[in-house]
Amino acid sequence: FLAQVHAMLKDDGLFYIQMCGVRRCWFYEDIVWILFMGKYIFPGADASTNVAWVINQLERSGFEVHRVENCSAHYARTIEMWHDNWTANKEPVVAKYGQWWFRLWDVFLAWSSLIGKQSSSSVFMMTCHKHLCNDGNSMQSKIRDAVPKLNRTKLFIGDKPVGYQQ
């Protein structure tokens, strides 16, 4: 997947990826949640990945990781709001999908919100770009017709004289 994204991305393009996974030092309750989710919610999915593994795969696929942001608290609140909406609409959901599906997602959403709040599972947003050695600031300007594929200063700082996080 990452090799395909790398091949499709323009040289000066940015790649955004979001991942959800467990912390490296997991507890047994985390495994129970992962097994429940893998059996009933996302069959065949693996939510046991940690962020270090994903970053390693990104770098091995030729990406330079620009930013990693932990959005777990925000995502836990989002899931909590989904759960509130789900339970507020119990009657129409049960009428359309049945009691079993309502209860399954009631448990999953409530449990996922708690898992997120205690940071058993984390959501990370990562911004990457192709790792290119010929940056616009590292190329010699005397090379005739040399056009840099990427200018990190222009891309990440812009025309501002002081660097800042965008």
Side-chain angles (χ1 to χ4, degrees), residues 39-60:
K39 181 173 182 177
Y40 294 107
I41 306 299
F42 303 113
D46 182 6
S48 64
T49 304
N50 64 60
V51 69
W53 187 87
V54 175
I55 290 172
N56 184 29
Q57 298 307 310
L58 286 164
E59 290 176 340
R60 290 177 66 188

Side-chain angles (χ1 to χ4, degrees), residues 2-16 62-64 128-132 148-151 155-156:
L2 293 175
Q4 183 177 7
V5 171
H6 190 275
M8 295 170 59
L9 189 67
K10 293 180 180 179
D11 286 342
D12 63 347
L14 291 175
F15 172 48
Y16 167 84
F63 287 102
E64 182 176 334
C128 315
H129 56 85
K130 287 184 175 182
H131 185 195
L132 302 171
K149 294 183 176 185
L150 177 69
N151 187 322
L155 182 62
F156 298 124

Side-chain angles (χ1 to χ4, degrees), residues 110-126:
W111 197 0
S112 296
S113 177
L114 292 173
I115 288 286
K117 287 176 183 176
Q118 71 184 23
S119 194
S120 291
S121 177
S122 299
V123 175
F124 292 95
M125 297 188 296
M126 293 168 264

Side-chain angles (χ1 to χ4, degrees), residues 11-42:
D11 286 342
D12 63 347
L14 291 175
F15 172 48
Y16 167 84
I17 186 168
Q18 178 178 314
M19 63 86 55
C20 180
V22 297
R23 56 187 162 196
R24 187 174 285 240
C25 55
W26 49 267
F27 295 125
Y28 289 104
E29 65 190 53
D30 303 341
I31 299 301
V32 175
W33 177 74
I34 289 168
L35 293 172
F36 172 84
M37 191 170 56
K39 181 173 182 177
Y40 294 107
I41 306 299
F42 303 113

